Amino acid sequence: ARDVVAKFSSVLGPMTKWLRVIVDASGGKLAEANLKAAQLEPPPDAAPMIYRILAARALAAAGDKRAKPYVRTMMKAAGKHPDVKKALADL
């Protein structure tokens, strides 16, 4: 996954950093994932939904302290989305 994210970073744009957080967290590198997540600002409400959902998953997977309020906000906006449910489960 790390190689795919690196290969297509120009296509993924700003989502690349959030995907790297998820890859690190799922690979067992929670400290690295948390450090990377802490350096990122969660997308605003005006951002595309998929970008906000990705950030919610990344924050929750990394164990970031901002995850709980951000995921709760996402539950209101897209609570039935499977990735939002996964982020909630990761809290």
Side-chain angles (χ1 to χ4, degrees), residues 3-80:
D3 293 339
V4 172
V5 171
K7 182 177 181 178
F8 295 104
S9 64
S10 63
V11 176
L12 296 169
M15 292 192 297
T16 302
K17 294 178 181 180
W18 291 108
L19 287 169
R20 286 182 180 145
V21 171
I22 292 172
V23 169
D24 284 347
S26 64
K29 298 180 179 182
L30 289 177
E32 289 179 36
N34 196 301
L35 182 63
K36 286 179 184 176
Q39 296 172 355
L40 299 172
E41 194 64 37
D45 291 342
M49 183 64 71
I50 190 67
Y51 187 48
R52 293 171 34 213
I53 290 171
L54 180 65
R57 284 283 313 268
L59 289 169
D64 190 281
K65 62 182 178 184
R66 301 168 295 170
K68 194 173 281 189
Y70 196 78
V71 170
R72 284 186 182 149
T73 300
M74 290 307 303
M75 285 299 294
K76 294 175 186 171
K80 294 187 179 195

